[in-house]
Amino acid sequence: MGPRLKAYLQLCRPANLPTAAADIIAGMSISGLFLGLSTFEFPMNVPGQAFLLILASVFLYAGGVVLNDVFDIEIDKVERPERPIPSGVVPLGKASFFGFLLLIIGIGLAFLANTLSGYVAVLLALAILSYDKYAKHHSFFGPLNMGICRGLNLLMGITLFDGFENWPYVLIPIVFIFAVTMISRGEVHGKNKGNILLAGLLYVIVLIGIGALHMVYAASNLTYLVFLLLFALMVFRPLVTAYKENMPNNIKKAVKAGVLSIILLDAAIAVAYSNILVGLLILLLLPLSIFLAKQFAVT
């Protein structure tokens, strides 16, 4: 792989992209996709629409992280000069074009899948740009904006069948990603114990929230608890370490675990609307993310 190609891939954060796909699969599960698969009670083009939505989500996520680096050029020149744009491997203008192109492709794919999903994709793209350009510089609205991006991504999957049923599940990724983004505030300088404590509290709220939503909306399928337990183990262990030894390296590990564990979170959501096989299907994205995380930066 040539250095230029690797630099462009690095801008896209490949390890994070399967987590975007996991959001969509969870959302489509909530919409009833896998119940429909078992009874064949939907049009034959639905699997194709589902595939388009997964691709749309991946392109939108990739575009968002590329443009995040574009807007961070001045900061990265000082704090992370080894990144593709400040190092000069990828020119700023080409990186900007690349990022916007990815967003446009993502929106187009969503409209091809479903008109309502396309409108959600437009909102998601606007939320992404809002975070990249403005909100991330604010200690509260930055994490909230990032969480809204994840919530809209889940919602895009829910709209597979032209509806907003069970929309309260959107609150789960909003709260969780708010917490992860709060932790990431200490990646460079450390000393963020207050944020870590807040994140731990929000993690607990997420665990309780999933159980409560499943009781209200989902069938009484307790298999999701297995995935929820794995999720809790994955996020709390590095979080405790980052609190005890509040150094940038440990904080980065806690953030990395938070980002990758979205796959387990999505599996815990999806299983309640399908079966354990769907959960295992989503879970297969985790080793892929972990492998890619060894090759490319997560944050």
Side-chain angles (χ1 to χ4, degrees):
M1 183 186 299
R4 181 66 61 86
L5 175 58
K6 186 173 182 179
Y8 274 98
L9 288 174
Q10 185 178 339
L11 285 174
C12 294
R13 308 287 199 281
N16 301 22
L17 300 182
T19 71
D23 290 342
I24 295 296
I25 297 172
M28 292 189 299
S29 298
I30 293 171
S31 77
L33 171 65
F34 294 102
L35 296 176
L37 275 176
S38 63
T39 59
F40 298 100
E41 293 180 353
F42 53 66
M44 291 299 294
N45 64 335
V46 166
Q49 290 176 308
F51 181 67
L52 286 171
L53 280 185
I54 291 173
L55 285 180
S57 175
V58 169
F59 274 92
L60 285 163
Y61 192 107
V65 291
V66 170
L67 291 173
N68 184 62
D69 279 11
V70 168
F71 291 122
D72 272 356
I73 177 65
E74 296 303 324
I75 296 174
D76 285 345
K77 283 180 180 178
V78 177
E79 295 183 349
R80 298 175 180 182
E82 74 283 356
R83 284 187 165 180
I85 300 174
S87 67
V89 177
V90 178
L92 180 62
K94 290 185 177 180
S96 181
F97 175 80
F98 181 51
F100 279 108
L101 179 63
L102 290 171
L103 286 186
I104 292 169
I105 292 173
I107 292 171
L109 289 169
F111 270 109
L112 285 174
N114 180 304
T115 301
L116 185 56
S117 300
Y119 288 134
V120 174
V122 171
L123 292 176
L124 175 52
L126 291 174
I128 287 169
L129 291 172
S130 171
Y131 175 82
D132 286 347
K133 180 63 177 177
Y134 302 109
K136 69 183 175 188
H137 303 295
H138 194 282
S139 59
F140 175 80
F141 290 109
L144 178 61
N145 195 155
M146 179 66 84
I148 289 172
C149 289
R150 278 286 180 175
L152 287 171
N153 197 39
L154 181 68
L155 184 62
M156 191 163 65
I158 293 174
T159 59
L160 174 66
F161 291 133
D162 288 317
F164 290 106
E165 294 181 11
N166 303 344
W167 67 265
Y169 278 95
V170 169
L171 299 174
I172 295 296
I174 291 177
V175 174
F176 179 63
I177 295 302
F178 182 95
V180 174
T181 308
M182 289 292 292
I183 300 169
S184 72
R185 298 286 171 166
E187 279 188 316
V188 176
H189 304 293
K191 300 179 181 179
N192 69 341
K193 282 192 171 184
N195 285 359
I196 288 177
L197 285 174
L198 175 60
L201 174 61
L202 292 175
Y203 284 178
V204 172
I205 291 173
V206 166
L207 293 172
I208 295 172
I210 290 178
L213 287 170
H214 282 348
M215 287 179 63
V216 174
Y217 294 103
S220 55
N221 179 359
L222 298 181
T223 308
Y224 80 89
L225 291 172
V226 175
F227 297 93
L228 201 59
L229 176 60
L230 292 173
F231 164 75
L233 289 172
M234 187 169 181
V235 295
F236 277 108
R237 289 179 65 185
L239 192 70
V240 170
T241 300
Y243 181 81
K244 290 180 178 178
E245 300 178 28
N246 198 222
M247 300 179 296
N249 188 51
N250 288 334
I251 293 168
K252 286 180 180 178
K253 290 179 179 178
V255 174
K256 178 180 175 181
V259 172
L260 300 184
S261 69
I262 294 169
I263 292 172
L264 288 167
L265 184 65
D266 286 326
I269 293 173
V271 165
Y273 287 89
S274 52
N275 54 58
I276 194 169
L277 293 178
V278 175
L280 293 174
L281 171 67
I282 296 175
L283 194 61
L284 288 176
L285 295 172
L286 185 57
L288 174 61
S289 278
I290 292 173
F291 170 76
L292 291 171
K294 294 178 180 179
Q295 318 300 320
F296 301 93
V298 172
T299 62

